[in-house]
Amino acid sequence: MLSFILRRLGSGLLLLVVISALAYLLLSLPGTDVGRHVLGPAVPQQAVDAHNAALGLDRPVAVRYLDWLTSALQGDLGRSWYTSEDVSRALANRLPVTVSLMVGVTLVTAVVSFVLGVWAGVRRGAVDRAVQTVSVLGYALPGFLVTLVLVLVFAVRLGWFPAVGYTPLSQSPSGWLATVTLPILSLSVAGIAGVSQQVRSSVIEVMGRDYVRTLRSRGLPASRVVFRHVLRSAATPGLTVLGMQFVGLLGGAVIVEQIFGLPGIGAMTVQYTTRGDIPVIMGVVMVTVIGVILTNLLVDVLVGWLNPKARVS
């Protein structure tokens, strides 16, 4: 298992370097005069050129990238070109908000999806049809419509949760839970629809295998057969889909954070990308890629633990 993890970490590190180089190259394409954007249209061109030189923009892109990579490896992601804010500190302030959403969505999606998928796969019949209908509805409903309905019902009409704003967990656990509940539910609907269907299909397939029929014919309790033997084999596809959905959550988090007024990485990405603030954008890219690598590693380890053949492949 240790060599398995080391191989995944090595490929993840290579992926991190490749993506950072591509991102820096794309962000450095000609077309944006950073100095002019920062200083304004009334400032003479000489001052603009001097500001660009002070930022190092008069040097080749490859040299700038290597300087940035060297600093990043030492923990220094630089400062915002527009606000002079330390990028590492800005990310540290906003990361807990987005992590709260992503971890919360993943936990809710995992628990609800596996309960629904196992229930539908084992019981079949009316339960199976009901779960499939709910899953199709979850896929079909647009995310913004789900968010709108949740806000109107639970925030405006019932007043159970705030419609906008964020309370840090360290300040008030109950306030934090209240501010992240609706965003988590909003992001979880589509994920539950996809993962539960995958789990359901896997459970049905495993339930039809010979060794499961043999265990059931020996009179073992159904709950023991399902949770000790069937779920172990059927969980692998569901975990893989769950990991892929976690990776794609950042895109949904951008919209949800804007709607609910959450000061997370998603809102930060929109704000600084429109300005072309490369140090901040690169910081967001690095955090995102590291999150993807760690998530894939966790999924691979879980899948490898459940199915030793996966470690070999």
Side-chain angles (χ1 to χ4, degrees), residues 113-114 116-122 124 128 131-132 135 139 192-209 230-231 233-238 241:
S113 299
F114 275 81
L116 289 179
V118 172
W119 191 27
V122 173
R124 306 297 301 273
D128 187 20
V131 170
Q132 289 195 64
S135 299
Y139 260 134
I192 291 172
V195 179
S196 63
Q197 284 300 294
Q198 187 65 57
V199 174
R200 167 196 169 272
S201 300
S202 300
V203 168
I204 292 175
E205 191 268 332
V206 175
M207 290 286 290
R209 292 181 182 174
V230 175
L231 191 56
S233 300
T236 301
V241 174

Side-chain angles (χ1 to χ4, degrees), residues 277-289:
D277 199 330
I278 290 181
V280 178
I281 300 172
M282 288 301 297
V284 173
V285 170
M286 289 299 95
V287 168
T288 305
V289 175

Side-chain angles (χ1 to χ4, degrees), residues 44-109:
Q45 186 60 41
Q46 289 182 341
V48 172
D49 294 339
H51 190 79
N52 285 334
L55 294 176
L57 297 176
D58 56 338
R59 297 179 300 160
V61 175
V63 175
R64 280 187 276 149
Y65 169 71
L66 290 176
D67 285 347
W68 174 86
L69 182 62
T70 303
S71 299
L73 291 175
Q74 297 172 355
D76 180 11
L77 293 174
R79 289 183 174 275
S80 166
W81 285 347
Y82 290 82
T83 64
S84 298
E85 185 179 12
D86 185 82
V87 175
S88 299
R89 183 172 300 174
L91 290 171
N93 290 335
R94 293 170 177 265
L95 195 57
V97 181
T98 304
V99 170
S100 297
L101 287 183
M102 298 180 76
V103 172
V105 171
T106 303
L107 290 176
V108 170
T109 302

Side-chain angles (χ1 to χ4, degrees), residues 179-312:
T179 52
V180 300
T181 297
L182 291 184
I184 287 175
L185 292 178
S186 174
L187 287 170
S188 300
V189 172
I192 291 172
V195 179
S196 63
Q197 284 300 294
Q198 187 65 57
V199 174
R200 167 196 169 272
S201 300
S202 300
V203 168
I204 292 175
E205 191 268 332
V206 175
M207 290 286 290
R209 292 181 182 174
D210 292 339
Y211 79 93
V212 175
R213 284 198 291 266
T214 302
L215 291 173
R216 297 175 71 180
S217 67
R218 290 179 178 176
L220 268 73
S223 58
R224 184 176 177 183
V225 173
V226 170
F227 292 105
R228 188 166 181 177
H229 300 280
V230 175
L231 191 56
R232 186 182 181 93
S233 300
T236 301
L239 286 174
T240 304
V241 174
L242 188 64
M244 293 172 64
Q245 293 197 348
F246 181 89
V247 171
L249 276 178
L250 189 61
V254 171
I255 300 173
V256 168
E257 287 179 5
Q258 294 283 344
I259 295 175
F260 288 97
L262 303 177
I265 296 291
M268 182 182 184
T269 304
V270 174
Q271 179 184 355
Y272 286 89
T273 300
T274 54
R275 295 175 173 177
D277 199 330
I278 290 181
V280 178
I281 300 172
M282 288 301 297
V284 173
V285 170
M286 289 299 95
V287 168
T288 305
V289 175
I290 291 173
V292 170
I293 292 171
L294 293 178
T295 303
N296 285 332
L297 177 63
L298 178 61
V299 171
D300 287 342
V301 170
L302 285 174
V303 171
W305 175 65
L306 291 170
N307 181 13
K309 293 180 180 177
R311 282 179 265 168
V312 178

